[in-house]
Amino acid sequence: MVEARTFPTIDIRGVNTILLRDGSEIRLEDIQSSEQGRAILDEIDGAILAIEDQIALGFQSDDPSWKVRAEIALKRKRRSRPALQARIGELRRAEKALAIKDTHANATSKVDAKRQAFVHAAYELLGHETCVEVWALAQEKQPALFTEGGSS
């Protein structure tokens, strides 16, 4: 799960609360991945096209107010797109930063594991006294690395 910055907001249907085709609602803050946001955006785009087609073709209904309701629904769907696109952008950036961080952590841990394997093999091959001498020489050459603030 990726965490992006969220600020407390008032729920406004069609702006930060999106009505889905199945009748359920989802708040922008509840969208957890860019993939999920993209699927919702695709659903909104499909609904917009369907409503536009109904209005253009003059969908016939016994209810005289259907066109007004369709235009209101179209406005709400269009109004929700920019906020959803912004949320998808936030999530993509957070996912990308997490992927970079994970890649760096894996590379660092692999390098550290190689160094540790080398030290163990050198200790086994050279013996305790020689390794103590090498440690003292390294400390003499780069004392900053062996101080309290440096890494061990």
Side-chain angles (χ1 to χ4, degrees):
M1 180 170 65
V2 176
E3 293 294 324
R5 294 184 315 167
T6 57
F7 301 101
T9 57
I10 299 170
D11 289 342
I12 302 171
R13 181 184 264 178
V15 176
N16 61 359
T17 300
I18 299 170
L19 182 63
L20 302 175
R21 282 188 182 177
D22 64 1
S24 64
E25 292 183 358
I26 187 165
R27 293 175 20 159
L28 291 177
E29 294 85 19
D30 295 337
I31 298 172
Q32 298 299 315
S33 69
S34 63
E35 184 178 326
Q36 180 187 13
R38 193 72 204 153
I40 294 169
L41 186 62
D42 290 343
E43 183 177 320
I44 289 173
D45 288 342
I48 288 171
L49 290 173
I51 294 168
E52 287 174 341
D53 287 346
Q54 288 177 6
I55 292 172
L57 297 174
F59 178 75
Q60 298 301 319
S61 172
D62 294 336
D63 186 3
S65 65
W66 75 266
K67 187 174 182 178
V68 172
R69 287 193 326 240
E71 288 172 348
I72 290 171
L74 185 60
K75 283 182 187 178
R76 284 185 177 169
K77 295 290 183 186
R78 285 181 177 158
R79 196 178 316 143
S80 65
R81 287 188 93 256
L84 180 57
Q85 287 173 322
R87 176 66 177 164
I88 292 169
E90 286 177 8
L91 291 168
R92 279 186 183 157
R93 286 187 293 279
E95 289 167 354
K96 187 176 182 180
L98 184 61
I100 290 171
K101 183 179 174 185
D102 286 347
T103 301
H104 180 69
N106 288 341
T108 302
S109 64
K110 189 174 182 179
V111 168
D112 287 344
K114 285 180 180 180
R115 287 180 182 151
Q116 190 173 20
F118 173 80
V119 168
H120 286 294
Y123 192 86
E124 197 174 296
L125 184 65
L126 300 174
H128 178 73
E129 289 80 26
T130 306
C131 286
V132 169
E133 288 177 25
V134 170
W135 185 269
L137 181 62
Q139 188 173 8
E140 184 180 305
K141 291 196 177 266
Q142 294 192 8
L145 294 175
F146 292 86
T147 59
E148 286 266 336
S151 57
S152 54

